[in-house]
Amino acid sequence: MTLQFSVLASGSSGNAFYVGTDNVKLLVDAGLSGKKIKEQLAQINVCPTDLDGILVTHEHSDHIKGLGVMARRYQLPVYANEKTRKAIDTSSVGEIITDQKFSFDMESVKTLADLDVESFGVSHDAADPMFYIFHYEGKKVAMLTDTGYVSERMKKKIENADAILFEANHDVGMLQMGRYPWNVKRRILSDLGHVSNEDAAIAMMDVIGDQTKSIYLGHLSQDNNMIDIARMSVEQYLKQHDIGVGDKLHIKDTSPTKATPIDYI
Ligand SMILES: [Zn+2]
Ligand SMILES: [Zn+2]
């Protein structure tokens, strides 16, 4: 009886996350093509026909690119809050029939089979962006990417989770020196953009608890970050503040193209 999950893909090019128990299997976001999502799921031996639904965080294309295809092909229920559902309807993912669309309100808990799923709001330039926490027999897995900053409220939600997918989008120096136009840089750095490596590490200080075993660094920018830089920034900061990384707490990589091995909590 375990809670299982894998970061199927994470990064500006597309995001998808798998979480399941013996009784329910869910996809969170479908930001890759239907074909790619199927391939990523195959890497962890899950067949799309085993899925029971798709939870959506927000309507940016790196989170919903394959949503229409997955929903139609495998007749999967799609859960999202009202504003996000409306935004999806006007996006290019194609029609998802009304019978397959379900509401998942912001700041609410929905029980799907034996899994309690909690939603919470983030600060990002989308219609009504929210992320999810999964509770199962006292265990907790949390996701937090696509937010301009990590508020005290968000920290409270995800604190002491057994595993957390945590945004480490960019290295501020690389972003500032990089080739992006200034308005894009300003958007990324704003309160409605993405969390930097440095800010992720600072926020983690308040979030890591006795129960926390794994932090997955997610949503890395292809242009403004590198996995070694993200990992080093975070590990160094935590070590400087007496949070040991290695024996009990592991900082783990994610990839835009390779699913992380299933983590059993
Ligand atoms: Zn994103
Ligand atoms: Zn986004």
Side-chain angles (χ1 to χ4, degrees):
M1 299 279 277
T2 53
L3 179 56
Q4 307 170 10
F5 71 91
S6 162
V7 185
L8 297 172
S10 188
S12 318
S13 56
N15 296 274
F17 184 89
Y18 166 80
V19 61
T21 67
D22 288 347
N23 297 305
V24 64
K25 294 177 171 40
L26 301 168
L27 191 64
V28 185
D29 288 337
L32 312 164
S33 69
K35 183 172 170 273
K36 283 238 173 70
I37 292 170
K38 191 179 172 196
E39 286 168 12
Q40 303 297 90
L41 283 167
Q43 292 175 13
I44 55 160
N45 296 316
V46 173
C47 185
T49 53
D50 298 338
L51 293 173
D52 298 296
I54 308 174
L55 308 173
V56 181
T57 62
H58 64 299
E59 74 281 10
H60 286 163
S61 72
D62 59 322
H63 296 260
I64 64 163
K65 209 178 295 162
L67 180 66
V69 171
M70 291 298 289
R72 286 188 292 273
R73 191 170 293 164
Y74 303 105
Q75 279 134 43
L76 295 170
V78 172
Y79 299 88
N81 65 41
E82 193 186 343
K83 286 183 187 160
T84 302
R85 286 202 309 281
K86 284 199 176 125
I88 292 168
D89 286 343
T90 58
S91 74
S92 58
V93 300
E95 202 198 344
I96 299 168
I97 58 165
T98 311
D99 286 358
Q100 274 175 255
K101 287 187 272 197
F102 293 86
S103 66
F104 200 136
D105 293 338
M106 172 82 78
E107 310 283 341
S108 70
V109 178
K110 207 181 252 305
T111 303
L112 299 167
D114 52 2
L115 186 61
D116 289 333
V117 187
E118 181 183 2
S119 65
F120 67 101
V122 296
S123 175
H124 193 56
D125 53 358
D128 205 12
M130 64 184 197
F131 274 81
Y132 299 98
I133 303 160
F134 303 92
H135 301 271
Y136 180 73
E137 302 200 334
K139 309 284 178 62
K140 175 170 159 184
V141 171
M143 304 172 69
L144 178 59
T145 67
D146 298 78
T147 188
Y149 67 100
V150 185
S151 68
E152 293 304 317
R153 183 182 52 82
M154 294 176 214
K155 285 183 203 168
K156 275 270 163 297
K157 292 277 181 191
I158 66 172
E159 80 180 345
N160 204 19
D162 295 77
I164 308 168
L165 170 62
F166 212 113
E167 172 156 60
N169 178 261
H170 55 276
D171 175 87
V172 174
M174 280 177 80
L175 177 70
Q176 279 166 345
M177 300 294 289
R179 65 180 175 86
Y180 282 12
W182 70 270
N183 58 322
V184 178
K185 290 180 183 178
R186 200 175 59 176
R187 181 234 155 201
I188 294 170
L189 290 167
S190 80
D191 278 356
L192 293 172
H194 291 278
V195 173
S196 67
N197 299 339
E198 296 85 340
D199 287 344
I202 293 167
M204 279 176 209
M205 297 287 303
D206 295 330
V207 167
I208 293 167
D210 294 343
Q211 218 172 290
T212 311
K213 290 169 218 62
S214 306
I215 293 185
Y216 289 78
L217 301 179
H219 216 298
L220 269 68
S221 161
Q222 263 166 2
D223 293 284
N224 304 309
N225 211 353
M226 283 161 67
I227 190 65
D228 291 340
I229 290 177
R231 163 188 285 284
M232 230 161 55
S233 310
V234 167
E235 288 189 352
Q236 263 176 14
Y237 190 88
L238 294 180
K239 273 181 194 147
Q240 278 164 9
H241 293 81
D242 291 328
I243 296 190
V245 176
D247 287 346
K248 218 185 125 276
L249 173 71
H250 299 274
I251 306 293
K252 297 183 175 174
D253 302 344
T254 63
S255 154
T257 52
K258 204 169 169 296
T260 61
I262 287 196
D263 206 335
Y264 297 86
I265 304 276

